[in-house]
Amino acid sequence: MDITLVHGDITQQKTDAVVNAANSSLLGGGGVDGAIHRRGGPEILAECRRLRASHYGGGLPAGQAVATTAGLLPARWVIHTVGPVYSATEDRSAVLASCYRECLRVADDLGAASVAFPAVSTGVYGWPMDDAARIALAAVRSASTRVSEARFVLFARDAYDVFASALR
Ligand code: ADP
């Protein structure tokens, strides 16, 4: 698998799937979630509402992933995953690693060969970027998947630099 890094916006990626750093309600939020729904149009939210009404009545638990259409985005699918909120007192890194593994498993089910990831949990959920980068890269590297490109899309220049040094 190729692991690539870009400094950019997840909503612009022409990969088969893009990952949303969702919250467990699946009904939208800020950050990546807000950008995906804004640019992807109402079809994504409509499918999220159907998921809430069927399989995910209690919401999507942290560490899990589920796919919807990508609506108007250049990707074919959005894979929604819910990162853990960072805690300085409890080690939740297994949950963060699970987000990446579960996204790749869903991508395999879809037949998606390329997946673009944001830095899950590093926004409002407060995870320190260097630790999040290390966990994300290790999880993707060690996953058993048919995905041939995992692209990390870092919105801020300093986040890109942190991922680049973690990749080396
Ligand atoms: P979380 O709730 O999992 O912390 P956020 O969406 O708040 O998720 O933030 C996750 C990361 O994504 C942050 O580092 C944030 O700067 C970054 N980010 C915000 N908007 C975008 C975007 N359009 N494309 C890629 N990354 C983004």
Side-chain angles (χ1 to χ4, degrees):
M1 184 210 279
D2 287 333
I3 297 179
T4 56
L5 306 180
V6 302
H7 174 210
D9 182 338
I10 193 92
T11 66
Q12 313 271 5
Q13 304 304 309
K14 297 184 181 73
T15 43
D16 292 334
V18 296
V19 170
N20 182 16
N23 60 57
S24 73
S25 79
L26 289 175
L27 300 179
V32 171
D33 206 3
I36 282 180
H37 287 292
R38 217 160 32 243
R39 296 191 53 111
E43 230 189 302
I44 302 173
L45 191 58
E47 215 176 311
C48 287
R49 287 192 202 285
R50 285 195 290 275
L51 287 168
R52 279 302 303 272
S54 56
H55 280 66
Y56 295 99
L60 181 67
Q64 296 189 24
V66 66
T68 65
T69 173
L72 303 171
L73 298 177
R76 289 180 66 186
W77 298 284
V78 173
I79 302 175
H80 306 263
T81 191
V82 180
V85 174
Y86 180 71
S87 165
T89 53
E90 189 191 344
D91 182 6
R92 300 176 179 166
S93 50
V95 182
L96 185 56
S98 170
C99 289
Y100 290 96
R101 264 199 319 275
E102 288 299 303
C103 285
L104 291 169
R105 191 183 57 74
V106 169
D108 281 341
D109 289 347
L110 294 167
S114 55
V115 180
F117 289 96
V120 176
S121 287
T122 64
V124 291
Y125 285 179
W127 210 293
M129 192 62 74
D130 54 346
D131 197 48
R134 186 182 56 73
I135 294 163
L137 291 166
V140 165
R141 267 198 193 113
S142 64
S144 138
T145 176
R146 291 190 306 282
V147 169
S148 56
E149 185 195 359
R151 182 186 303 174
F152 287 92
V153 182
L154 293 320
F155 202 49
R157 182 78 220 181
D158 54 344
Y160 176 90
D161 292 342
V162 168
F163 266 74
S165 72
L167 190 57
R168 284 196 293 268

